[in-house]
Amino acid sequence: MRTVLRRVSAVGLAVAAAAFGGTVADASGSFPPSIYPAPVHSRGGALATCPNPAGLQAFTTAGQVSAVKIARSYLLISEATDLRNSDRAWWPQARHVWSKRTSSTGATSEVTAIYGSELASRSDYAVIVRFSCGQALVSKSLLVGVGPRQTHPPRCGDCVSQVFLLDRRGHALIYYIH
């Protein structure tokens, strides 16, 4: 009887998660709400939703190192890894990109270079996030430039992506890529 109830509960959990646009992993607790709270509304612009301000903190040196590693590995390992390394505000975009890929794993043969990191508030790109989500988010964000390895400086400025990350309770998370 308990086995049947567990199966029914698991099916119900999957149905409930799917009804709300999530996955079983979202609803199962592998993404704790203290690290992955629901996004909040955007004021419009480039970001459809904004990261929840709960638990955001300024980046430490260790957090910056972690953020650079996460930015560098985005789209190179797996969808599950990218969801774990992203704020819920970015999950729809991460899922969309992975749904268009031809395999379930990333292109690990690609070489991604880091073209700098800085506090987002020092970047000209900060205006994008500030317009959509406000200065409070910008002030706690890190911006990492990533792209294919090229001669330095990059010959293709448009090939370098600007990855915005936040630190929520010691976890660096991507929330926007420009």
mmCIF file of all heavy atoms in Angstrom, residues 40-93:
data_model
loop_
_atom_site.group_PDB
_atom_site.id
_atom_site.type_symbol
_atom_site.label_atom_id
_atom_site.label_comp_id
_atom_site.label_asym_id
_atom_site.label_seq_id
_atom_site.Cartn_x
_atom_site.Cartn_y
_atom_site.Cartn_z
ATOM 1 N N VAL A 40 10.792 37.718 -9.436
ATOM 2 C CA VAL A 40 9.826 38.799 -9.239
ATOM 3 C C VAL A 40 9.611 39.508 -10.573
ATOM 4 O O VAL A 40 10.367 39.306 -11.531
ATOM 5 C CB VAL A 40 10.290 39.785 -8.142
ATOM 6 C CG1 VAL A 40 10.389 39.075 -6.792
ATOM 7 C CG2 VAL A 40 11.621 40.423 -8.505
ATOM 8 N N HIS A 41 8.592 40.348 -10.616
ATOM 9 C CA HIS A 41 8.253 41.037 -11.857
ATOM 10 C C HIS A 41 9.330 42.025 -12.281
ATOM 11 O O HIS A 41 9.960 42.672 -11.463
ATOM 12 C CB HIS A 41 6.920 41.771 -11.716
ATOM 13 C CG HIS A 41 5.756 40.852 -11.562
ATOM 14 N ND1 HIS A 41 5.258 40.114 -12.608
ATOM 15 C CD2 HIS A 41 5.014 40.530 -10.478
ATOM 16 C CE1 HIS A 41 4.258 39.375 -12.181
ATOM 17 N NE2 HIS A 41 4.086 39.612 -10.880
ATOM 18 N N SER A 42 9.497 42.123 -13.573
ATOM 19 C CA SER A 42 10.408 43.093 -14.182
ATOM 20 C C SER A 42 9.620 44.360 -14.498
ATOM 21 O O SER A 42 8.405 44.317 -14.670
ATOM 22 C CB SER A 42 10.970 42.492 -15.471
ATOM 23 O OG SER A 42 11.590 43.471 -16.251
ATOM 24 N N ARG A 43 10.342 45.458 -14.609
ATOM 25 C CA ARG A 43 9.713 46.719 -15.036
ATOM 26 C C ARG A 43 9.695 46.812 -16.557
ATOM 27 O O ARG A 43 9.343 47.837 -17.112
ATOM 28 C CB ARG A 43 10.478 47.903 -14.467
ATOM 29 C CG ARG A 43 10.318 48.016 -12.962
ATOM 30 C CD ARG A 43 10.992 49.255 -12.472
ATOM 31 N NE ARG A 43 12.362 48.898 -12.117
ATOM 32 C CZ ARG A 43 13.219 49.717 -11.554
ATOM 33 N NH1 ARG A 43 12.889 50.949 -11.298
ATOM 34 N NH2 ARG A 43 14.435 49.311 -11.243
ATOM 35 N N GLY A 44 10.095 45.749 -17.225
ATOM 36 C CA GLY A 44 10.142 45.740 -18.683
ATOM 37 C C GLY A 44 11.585 45.764 -19.158
ATOM 38 O O GLY A 44 12.508 45.719 -18.367
ATOM 39 N N GLY A 45 11.761 45.820 -20.428
ATOM 40 C CA GLY A 45 13.106 45.845 -20.975
ATOM 41 C C GLY A 45 13.607 44.461 -21.310
ATOM 42 O O GLY A 45 12.832 43.553 -21.618
ATOM 43 N N ALA A 46 14.906 44.276 -21.210
ATOM 44 C CA ALA A 46 15.552 43.041 -21.651
ATOM 45 C C ALA A 46 15.271 41.842 -20.750
ATOM 46 O O ALA A 46 15.287 40.709 -21.214
ATOM 47 C CB ALA A 46 17.054 43.257 -21.753
ATOM 48 N N LEU A 47 15.028 42.061 -19.470
ATOM 49 C CA LEU A 47 14.795 40.956 -18.548
ATOM 50 C C LEU A 47 13.292 40.756 -18.346
ATOM 51 O O LEU A 47 12.589 41.670 -17.908
ATOM 52 C CB LEU A 47 15.464 41.202 -17.185
ATOM 53 C CG LEU A 47 16.966 40.955 -17.152
ATOM 54 C CD1 LEU A 47 17.737 42.061 -17.818
ATOM 55 C CD2 LEU A 47 17.420 40.776 -15.734
ATOM 56 N N ALA A 48 12.807 39.568 -18.698
ATOM 57 C CA ALA A 48 11.377 39.269 -18.573
ATOM 58 C C ALA A 48 10.951 39.208 -17.114
ATOM 59 O O ALA A 48 9.857 39.642 -16.756
ATOM 60 C CB ALA A 48 11.059 37.951 -19.274
ATOM 61 N N THR A 49 11.801 38.634 -16.262
ATOM 62 C CA THR A 49 11.579 38.609 -14.827
ATOM 63 C C THR A 49 12.904 38.952 -14.156
ATOM 64 O O THR A 49 13.957 38.892 -14.778
ATOM 65 C CB THR A 49 11.095 37.230 -14.323
ATOM 66 O OG1 THR A 49 12.072 36.242 -14.650
ATOM 67 C CG2 THR A 49 9.749 36.846 -14.926
ATOM 68 N N CYS A 50 12.826 39.283 -12.892
ATOM 69 C CA CYS A 50 14.026 39.672 -12.150
ATOM 70 C C CYS A 50 14.295 38.670 -11.041
ATOM 71 O O CYS A 50 13.364 38.074 -10.490
ATOM 72 C CB CYS A 50 13.840 41.048 -11.528
ATOM 73 S SG CYS A 50 13.617 42.355 -12.742
ATOM 74 N N PRO A 51 15.556 38.510 -10.675
ATOM 75 C CA PRO A 51 15.863 37.658 -9.534
ATOM 76 C C PRO A 51 15.207 38.210 -8.270
ATOM 77 O O PRO A 51 15.124 39.420 -8.072
ATOM 78 C CB PRO A 51 17.388 37.744 -9.415
ATOM 79 C CG PRO A 51 17.847 38.105 -10.788
ATOM 80 C CD PRO A 51 16.763 39.006 -11.326
ATOM 81 N N ASN A 52 14.731 37.308 -7.455
ATOM 82 C CA ASN A 52 14.169 37.677 -6.162
ATOM 83 C C ASN A 52 15.287 38.281 -5.314
ATOM 84 O O ASN A 52 16.390 37.741 -5.274
ATOM 85 C CB ASN A 52 13.608 36.412 -5.510
ATOM 86 C CG ASN A 52 12.752 36.696 -4.325
ATOM 87 O OD1 ASN A 52 13.139 37.431 -3.430
ATOM 88 N ND2 ASN A 52 11.576 36.086 -4.318
ATOM 89 N N PRO A 53 15.065 39.386 -4.623
ATOM 90 C CA PRO A 53 16.129 39.999 -3.821
ATOM 91 C C PRO A 53 16.459 39.240 -2.530
ATOM 92 O O PRO A 53 17.460 39.548 -1.882
ATOM 93 C CB PRO A 53 15.585 41.395 -3.508
ATOM 94 C CG PRO A 53 14.108 41.273 -3.625
ATOM 95 C CD PRO A 53 13.859 40.213 -4.658
ATOM 96 N N ALA A 54 15.682 38.232 -2.185
ATOM 97 C CA ALA A 54 15.913 37.491 -0.939
ATOM 98 C C ALA A 54 17.289 36.834 -0.937
ATOM 99 O O ALA A 54 17.657 36.116 -1.867
ATOM 100 C CB ALA A 54 14.840 36.424 -0.747
ATOM 101 N N GLY A 55 18.064 37.101 0.098
ATOM 102 C CA GLY A 55 19.345 36.432 0.297
ATOM 103 C C GLY A 55 20.487 36.927 -0.562
ATOM 104 O O GLY A 55 21.567 36.329 -0.540
ATOM 105 N N LEU A 56 20.300 38.010 -1.312
ATOM 106 C CA LEU A 56 21.395 38.499 -2.152
ATOM 107 C C LEU A 56 22.456 39.146 -1.278
ATOM 108 O O LEU A 56 22.151 39.810 -0.293
ATOM 109 C CB LEU A 56 20.888 39.514 -3.179
ATOM 110 C CG LEU A 56 19.926 38.999 -4.237
ATOM 111 C CD1 LEU A 56 19.652 40.089 -5.263
ATOM 112 C CD2 LEU A 56 20.442 37.746 -4.912
ATOM 113 N N GLN A 57 23.695 38.944 -1.647
ATOM 114 C CA GLN A 57 24.804 39.530 -0.911
ATOM 115 C C GLN A 57 25.889 39.955 -1.883
ATOM 116 O O GLN A 57 25.894 39.541 -3.040
ATOM 117 C CB GLN A 57 25.350 38.539 0.113
ATOM 118 C CG GLN A 57 25.803 37.209 -0.481
ATOM 119 C CD GLN A 57 26.037 36.150 0.581
ATOM 120 O OE1 GLN A 57 25.240 35.962 1.476
ATOM 121 N NE2 GLN A 57 27.169 35.467 0.474
ATOM 122 N N ALA A 58 26.784 40.799 -1.403
ATOM 123 C CA ALA A 58 27.906 41.243 -2.221
ATOM 124 C C ALA A 58 28.851 40.066 -2.453
ATOM 125 O O ALA A 58 28.975 39.178 -1.612
ATOM 126 C CB ALA A 58 28.642 42.380 -1.517
ATOM 127 N N PHE A 59 29.506 40.075 -3.597
ATOM 128 C CA PHE A 59 30.451 39.011 -3.922
ATOM 129 C C PHE A 59 31.710 39.119 -3.072
ATOM 130 O O PHE A 59 32.281 40.192 -2.924
ATOM 131 C CB PHE A 59 30.844 39.066 -5.403
ATOM 132 C CG PHE A 59 29.905 38.348 -6.308
ATOM 133 C CD1 PHE A 59 28.845 39.005 -6.900
ATOM 134 C CD2 PHE A 59 30.070 36.993 -6.556
ATOM 135 C CE1 PHE A 59 27.969 38.339 -7.729
ATOM 136 C CE2 PHE A 59 29.199 36.308 -7.383
ATOM 137 C CZ PHE A 59 28.145 36.982 -7.975
ATOM 138 N N THR A 60 32.134 37.986 -2.548
ATOM 139 C CA THR A 60 33.437 37.875 -1.900
ATOM 140 C C THR A 60 34.441 37.482 -2.980
ATOM 141 O O THR A 60 34.058 37.171 -4.115
ATOM 142 C CB THR A 60 33.424 36.783 -0.822
ATOM 143 O OG1 THR A 60 33.147 35.517 -1.469
ATOM 144 C CG2 THR A 60 32.374 37.064 0.258
ATOM 145 N N THR A 61 35.713 37.440 -2.635
ATOM 146 C CA THR A 61 36.733 37.000 -3.587
ATOM 147 C C THR A 61 36.469 35.564 -4.016
ATOM 148 O O THR A 61 36.535 35.245 -5.215
ATOM 149 C CB THR A 61 38.134 37.129 -2.969
ATOM 150 O OG1 THR A 61 38.332 38.500 -2.594
ATOM 151 C CG2 THR A 61 39.212 36.719 -3.950
ATOM 152 N N ALA A 62 36.143 34.705 -3.067
ATOM 153 C CA ALA A 62 35.839 33.303 -3.404
ATOM 154 C C ALA A 62 34.597 33.219 -4.286
ATOM 155 O O ALA A 62 34.535 32.410 -5.219
ATOM 156 C CB ALA A 62 35.640 32.479 -2.137
ATOM 157 N N GLY A 63 33.617 34.056 -4.021
ATOM 158 C CA GLY A 63 32.407 34.083 -4.840
ATOM 159 C C GLY A 63 32.692 34.524 -6.261
ATOM 160 O O GLY A 63 32.100 34.012 -7.214
ATOM 161 N N GLN A 64 33.609 35.468 -6.415
ATOM 162 C CA GLN A 64 33.989 35.925 -7.754
ATOM 163 C C GLN A 64 34.676 34.809 -8.537
ATOM 164 O O GLN A 64 34.405 34.619 -9.721
ATOM 165 C CB GLN A 64 34.899 37.150 -7.667
ATOM 166 C CG GLN A 64 34.167 38.389 -7.199
ATOM 167 C CD GLN A 64 35.093 39.588 -7.060
ATOM 168 O OE1 GLN A 64 36.269 39.546 -7.401
ATOM 169 N NE2 GLN A 64 34.546 40.678 -6.553
ATOM 170 N N VAL A 65 35.546 34.059 -7.876
ATOM 171 C CA VAL A 65 36.227 32.939 -8.530
ATOM 172 C C VAL A 65 35.191 31.910 -8.986
ATOM 173 O O VAL A 65 35.236 31.415 -10.120
ATOM 174 C CB VAL A 65 37.273 32.302 -7.587
ATOM 175 C CG1 VAL A 65 37.795 30.991 -8.149
ATOM 176 C CG2 VAL A 65 38.416 33.277 -7.332
ATOM 177 N N SER A 66 34.235 31.592 -8.114
ATOM 178 C CA SER A 66 33.174 30.647 -8.452
ATOM 179 C C SER A 66 32.330 31.167 -9.617
ATOM 180 O O SER A 66 31.993 30.417 -10.539
ATOM 181 C CB SER A 66 32.288 30.408 -7.227
ATOM 182 O OG SER A 66 31.205 29.588 -7.541
ATOM 183 N N ALA A 67 32.003 32.448 -9.604
ATOM 184 C CA ALA A 67 31.191 33.047 -10.664
ATOM 185 C C ALA A 67 31.883 32.953 -12.020
ATOM 186 O O ALA A 67 31.243 32.646 -13.029
ATOM 187 C CB ALA A 67 30.885 34.503 -10.322
ATOM 188 N N VAL A 68 33.176 33.203 -12.054
ATOM 189 C CA VAL A 68 33.922 33.114 -13.307
ATOM 190 C C VAL A 68 33.898 31.681 -13.843
ATOM 191 O O VAL A 68 33.684 31.453 -15.033
ATOM 192 C CB VAL A 68 35.367 33.642 -13.135
ATOM 193 C CG1 VAL A 68 36.232 33.294 -14.330
ATOM 194 C CG2 VAL A 68 35.348 35.147 -12.898
ATOM 195 N N LYS A 69 34.073 30.698 -12.969
ATOM 196 C CA LYS A 69 34.018 29.290 -13.397
ATOM 197 C C LYS A 69 32.648 28.942 -13.952
ATOM 198 O O LYS A 69 32.526 28.252 -14.969
ATOM 199 C CB LYS A 69 34.353 28.364 -12.228
ATOM 200 C CG LYS A 69 35.808 28.372 -11.851
ATOM 201 C CD LYS A 69 36.054 27.440 -10.675
ATOM 202 C CE LYS A 69 37.504 27.500 -10.226
ATOM 203 N NZ LYS A 69 37.748 26.676 -9.033
ATOM 204 N N ILE A 70 31.599 29.413 -13.285
ATOM 205 C CA ILE A 70 30.232 29.134 -13.742
ATOM 206 C C ILE A 70 29.984 29.783 -15.102
ATOM 207 O O ILE A 70 29.434 29.156 -16.011
ATOM 208 C CB ILE A 70 29.217 29.609 -12.686
ATOM 209 C CG1 ILE A 70 29.246 28.657 -11.487
ATOM 210 C CG2 ILE A 70 27.814 29.710 -13.265
ATOM 211 C CD1 ILE A 70 28.487 29.152 -10.274
ATOM 212 N N ALA A 71 30.378 31.035 -15.252
ATOM 213 C CA ALA A 71 30.182 31.730 -16.530
ATOM 214 C C ALA A 71 30.937 31.021 -17.648
ATOM 215 O O ALA A 71 30.424 30.876 -18.760
ATOM 216 C CB ALA A 71 30.639 33.182 -16.413
ATOM 217 N N ARG A 72 32.133 30.580 -17.356
ATOM 218 C CA ARG A 72 32.961 29.916 -18.368
ATOM 219 C C ARG A 72 32.369 28.572 -18.805
ATOM 220 O O ARG A 72 32.499 28.185 -19.967
ATOM 221 C CB ARG A 72 34.363 29.701 -17.824
ATOM 222 C CG ARG A 72 35.293 29.110 -18.836
ATOM 223 C CD ARG A 72 36.663 28.962 -18.272
ATOM 224 N NE ARG A 72 37.603 28.975 -19.368
ATOM 225 C CZ ARG A 72 38.886 28.931 -19.223
ATOM 226 N NH1 ARG A 72 39.421 28.897 -18.028
ATOM 227 N NH2 ARG A 72 39.679 28.929 -20.272
ATOM 228 N N SER A 73 31.699 27.870 -17.908
ATOM 229 C CA SER A 73 31.187 26.536 -18.228
ATOM 230 C C SER A 73 29.759 26.529 -18.760
ATOM 231 O O SER A 73 29.259 25.477 -19.169
ATOM 232 C CB SER A 73 31.268 25.632 -16.993
ATOM 233 O OG SER A 73 30.329 26.045 -16.017
ATOM 234 N N TYR A 74 29.100 27.691 -18.801
ATOM 235 C CA TYR A 74 27.703 27.740 -19.241
ATOM 236 C C TYR A 74 27.564 27.168 -20.648
ATOM 237 O O TYR A 74 28.346 27.478 -21.541
ATOM 238 C CB TYR A 74 27.191 29.185 -19.191
ATOM 239 C CG TYR A 74 25.720 29.306 -19.480
ATOM 240 C CD1 TYR A 74 24.779 28.859 -18.565
ATOM 241 C CD2 TYR A 74 25.267 29.844 -20.670
ATOM 242 C CE1 TYR A 74 23.425 28.960 -18.820
ATOM 243 C CE2 TYR A 74 23.918 29.952 -20.941
ATOM 244 C CZ TYR A 74 22.991 29.505 -20.017
ATOM 245 O OH TYR A 74 21.645 29.598 -20.287
ATOM 246 N N LEU A 75 26.590 26.302 -20.814
ATOM 247 C CA LEU A 75 26.263 25.600 -22.062
ATOM 248 C C LEU A 75 27.291 24.558 -22.474
ATOM 249 O O LEU A 75 27.212 24.026 -23.579
ATOM 250 C CB LEU A 75 26.041 26.580 -23.223
ATOM 251 C CG LEU A 75 24.849 27.515 -23.082
ATOM 252 C CD1 LEU A 75 24.769 28.455 -24.282
ATOM 253 C CD2 LEU A 75 23.554 26.739 -22.921
ATOM 254 N N LEU A 76 28.238 24.245 -21.622
ATOM 255 C CA LEU A 76 29.271 23.274 -21.989
ATOM 256 C C LEU A 76 29.142 21.928 -21.289
ATOM 257 O O LEU A 76 29.826 20.986 -21.669
ATOM 258 C CB LEU A 76 30.666 23.860 -21.706
ATOM 259 C CG LEU A 76 31.021 25.115 -22.482
ATOM 260 C CD1 LEU A 76 32.411 25.598 -22.104
ATOM 261 C CD2 LEU A 76 30.929 24.868 -23.984
ATOM 262 N N ILE A 77 28.294 21.828 -20.276
ATOM 263 C CA ILE A 77 28.223 20.583 -19.519
ATOM 264 C C ILE A 77 26.874 19.905 -19.701
ATOM 265 O O ILE A 77 26.786 18.871 -20.349
ATOM 266 C CB ILE A 77 28.542 20.833 -18.025
ATOM 267 C CG1 ILE A 77 29.941 21.427 -17.889
ATOM 268 C CG2 ILE A 77 28.404 19.547 -17.211
ATOM 269 C CD1 ILE A 77 30.299 21.909 -16.503
ATOM 270 N N SER A 78 25.824 20.468 -19.123
ATOM 271 C CA SER A 78 24.488 19.874 -19.240
ATOM 272 C C SER A 78 23.435 20.895 -18.841
ATOM 273 O O SER A 78 23.739 21.890 -18.178
ATOM 274 C CB SER A 78 24.353 18.642 -18.335
ATOM 275 O OG SER A 78 24.341 19.024 -16.970
ATOM 276 N N GLU A 79 22.213 20.616 -19.236
ATOM 277 C CA GLU A 79 21.105 21.478 -18.849
ATOM 278 C C GLU A 79 20.956 21.490 -17.327
ATOM 279 O O GLU A 79 20.746 22.547 -16.730
ATOM 280 C CB GLU A 79 19.812 21.012 -19.497
ATOM 281 C CG GLU A 79 18.613 21.872 -19.127
ATOM 282 C CD GLU A 79 17.316 21.423 -19.790
ATOM 283 O OE1 GLU A 79 17.299 20.382 -20.482
ATOM 284 O OE2 GLU A 79 16.309 22.128 -19.611
ATOM 285 N N ALA A 80 21.068 20.325 -16.707
ATOM 286 C CA ALA A 80 20.934 20.247 -15.243
ATOM 287 C C ALA A 80 21.973 21.116 -14.544
ATOM 288 O O ALA A 80 21.658 21.816 -13.579
ATOM 289 C CB ALA A 80 21.054 18.796 -14.787
ATOM 290 N N THR A 81 23.201 21.102 -15.035
ATOM 291 C CA THR A 81 24.265 21.935 -14.448
ATOM 292 C C THR A 81 23.942 23.407 -14.637
ATOM 293 O O THR A 81 24.099 24.211 -13.710
ATOM 294 C CB THR A 81 25.620 21.591 -15.076
ATOM 295 O OG1 THR A 81 25.927 20.235 -14.774
ATOM 296 C CG2 THR A 81 26.723 22.497 -14.560
ATOM 297 N N ASP A 82 23.488 23.779 -15.822
ATOM 298 C CA ASP A 82 23.172 25.184 -16.078
ATOM 299 C C ASP A 82 21.991 25.659 -15.238
ATOM 300 O O ASP A 82 21.987 26.803 -14.779
ATOM 301 C CB ASP A 82 22.911 25.417 -17.563
ATOM 302 C CG ASP A 82 24.187 25.355 -18.378
ATOM 303 O OD1 ASP A 82 25.290 25.384 -17.792
ATOM 304 O OD2 ASP A 82 24.082 25.260 -19.618
ATOM 305 N N LEU A 83 21.001 24.810 -15.005
ATOM 306 C CA LEU A 83 19.896 25.193 -14.126
ATOM 307 C C LEU A 83 20.392 25.364 -12.692
ATOM 308 O O LEU A 83 20.016 26.322 -12.009
ATOM 309 C CB LEU A 83 18.767 24.167 -14.178
ATOM 310 C CG LEU A 83 18.002 24.098 -15.507
ATOM 311 C CD1 LEU A 83 16.974 22.979 -15.462
ATOM 312 C CD2 LEU A 83 17.356 25.431 -15.847
ATOM 313 N N ARG A 84 21.246 24.467 -12.241
ATOM 314 C CA ARG A 84 21.800 24.557 -10.889
ATOM 315 C C ARG A 84 22.643 25.825 -10.728
ATOM 316 O O ARG A 84 22.700 26.400 -9.645
ATOM 317 C CB ARG A 84 22.651 23.315 -10.594
ATOM 318 C CG ARG A 84 22.970 23.108 -9.142
ATOM 319 C CD ARG A 84 23.683 21.776 -8.870
ATOM 320 N NE ARG A 84 23.117 20.629 -9.570
ATOM 321 C CZ ARG A 84 23.690 20.020 -10.623
ATOM 322 N NH1 ARG A 84 24.859 20.409 -11.087
ATOM 323 N NH2 ARG A 84 23.103 19.008 -11.212
ATOM 324 N N ASN A 85 23.275 26.281 -11.791
ATOM 325 C CA ASN A 85 24.138 27.458 -11.751
ATOM 326 C C ASN A 85 23.431 28.740 -12.188
ATOM 327 O O ASN A 85 24.083 29.739 -12.471
ATOM 328 C CB ASN A 85 25.380 27.239 -12.623
ATOM 329 C CG ASN A 85 26.299 26.188 -12.050
ATOM 330 O OD1 ASN A 85 26.330 25.959 -10.854
ATOM 331 N ND2 ASN A 85 27.047 25.536 -12.915
ATOM 332 N N SER A 86 22.099 28.700 -12.263
ATOM 333 C CA SER A 86 21.329 29.864 -12.700
ATOM 334 C C SER A 86 20.235 30.199 -11.698
ATOM 335 O O SER A 86 19.666 29.316 -11.060
ATOM 336 C CB SER A 86 20.653 29.597 -14.048
ATOM 337 O OG SER A 86 21.595 29.358 -15.051
ATOM 338 N N ASP A 87 19.926 31.473 -11.620
ATOM 339 C CA ASP A 87 18.783 31.923 -10.848
ATOM 340 C C ASP A 87 17.510 31.506 -11.592
ATOM 341 O O ASP A 87 17.511 31.389 -12.821
ATOM 342 C CB ASP A 87 18.833 33.449 -10.710
ATOM 343 C CG ASP A 87 17.727 33.964 -9.830
ATOM 344 O OD1 ASP A 87 17.876 33.902 -8.596
ATOM 345 O OD2 ASP A 87 16.689 34.414 -10.383
ATOM 346 N N ARG A 88 16.425 31.325 -10.851
ATOM 347 C CA ARG A 88 15.170 30.922 -11.491
ATOM 348 C C ARG A 88 14.695 31.920 -12.539
ATOM 349 O O ARG A 88 13.978 31.552 -13.469
ATOM 350 C CB ARG A 88 14.080 30.696 -10.446
ATOM 351 C CG ARG A 88 14.246 29.353 -9.770
ATOM 352 C CD ARG A 88 13.179 29.069 -8.759
ATOM 353 N NE ARG A 88 11.851 29.054 -9.358
ATOM 354 C CZ ARG A 88 10.744 28.838 -8.645
ATOM 355 N NH1 ARG A 88 10.825 28.648 -7.339
ATOM 356 N NH2 ARG A 88 9.565 28.845 -9.229
ATOM 357 N N ALA A 89 15.076 33.175 -12.415
ATOM 358 C CA ALA A 89 14.691 34.165 -13.423
ATOM 359 C C ALA A 89 15.280 33.819 -14.794
ATOM 360 O O ALA A 89 14.736 34.212 -15.824
ATOM 361 C CB ALA A 89 15.140 35.562 -12.991
ATOM 362 N N TRP A 90 16.376 33.066 -14.825
ATOM 363 C CA TRP A 90 17.050 32.711 -16.083
ATOM 364 C C TRP A 90 16.655 31.329 -16.579
ATOM 365 O O TRP A 90 16.953 30.958 -17.718
ATOM 366 C CB TRP A 90 18.567 32.820 -15.910
ATOM 367 C CG TRP A 90 19.325 32.661 -17.194
ATOM 368 C CD1 TRP A 90 20.149 31.631 -17.544
ATOM 369 C CD2 TRP A 90 19.323 33.557 -18.317
ATOM 370 N NE1 TRP A 90 20.662 31.835 -18.806
ATOM 371 C CE2 TRP A 90 20.160 33.017 -19.296
ATOM 372 C CE3 TRP A 90 18.681 34.774 -18.576
ATOM 373 C CZ2 TRP A 90 20.379 33.642 -20.524
ATOM 374 C CZ3 TRP A 90 18.894 35.392 -19.802
ATOM 375 C CH2 TRP A 90 19.744 34.823 -20.746
ATOM 376 N N TRP A 91 15.991 30.531 -15.774
ATOM 377 C CA TRP A 91 15.667 29.159 -16.172
ATOM 378 C C TRP A 91 14.924 29.044 -17.500
ATOM 379 O O TRP A 91 15.254 28.158 -18.303
ATOM 380 C CB TRP A 91 14.880 28.453 -15.079
ATOM 381 C CG TRP A 91 15.705 28.025 -13.906
ATOM 382 C CD1 TRP A 91 17.042 28.208 -13.710
ATOM 383 C CD2 TRP A 91 15.238 27.344 -12.751
ATOM 384 N NE1 TRP A 91 17.433 27.689 -12.497
ATOM 385 C CE2 TRP A 91 16.343 27.153 -11.886
ATOM 386 C CE3 TRP A 91 14.003 26.886 -12.344
ATOM 387 C CZ2 TRP A 91 16.235 26.515 -10.667
ATOM 388 C CZ3 TRP A 91 13.880 26.255 -11.121
ATOM 389 C CH2 TRP A 91 14.999 26.068 -10.294
ATOM 390 N N PRO A 92 13.927 29.862 -17.809
ATOM 391 C CA PRO A 92 13.253 29.697 -19.109
ATOM 392 C C PRO A 92 14.218 29.830 -20.291
ATOM 393 O O PRO A 92 14.129 29.068 -21.257
ATOM 394 C CB PRO A 92 12.204 30.818 -19.120
ATOM 395 C CG PRO A 92 11.941 31.089 -17.681
ATOM 396 C CD PRO A 92 13.273 30.896 -16.990
ATOM 397 N N GLN A 93 15.147 30.767 -20.214
ATOM 398 C CA GLN A 93 16.106 30.943 -21.302
ATOM 399 C C GLN A 93 17.077 29.769 -21.371
ATOM 400 O O GLN A 93 17.396 29.290 -22.461
ATOM 401 C CB GLN A 93 16.877 32.259 -21.131
ATOM 402 C CG GLN A 93 16.034 33.488 -21.341
ATOM 403 C CD GLN A 93 15.188 33.871 -20.114
ATOM 404 O OE1 GLN A 93 15.163 33.194 -19.086
ATOM 405 N NE2 GLN A 93 14.469 34.965 -20.237
#
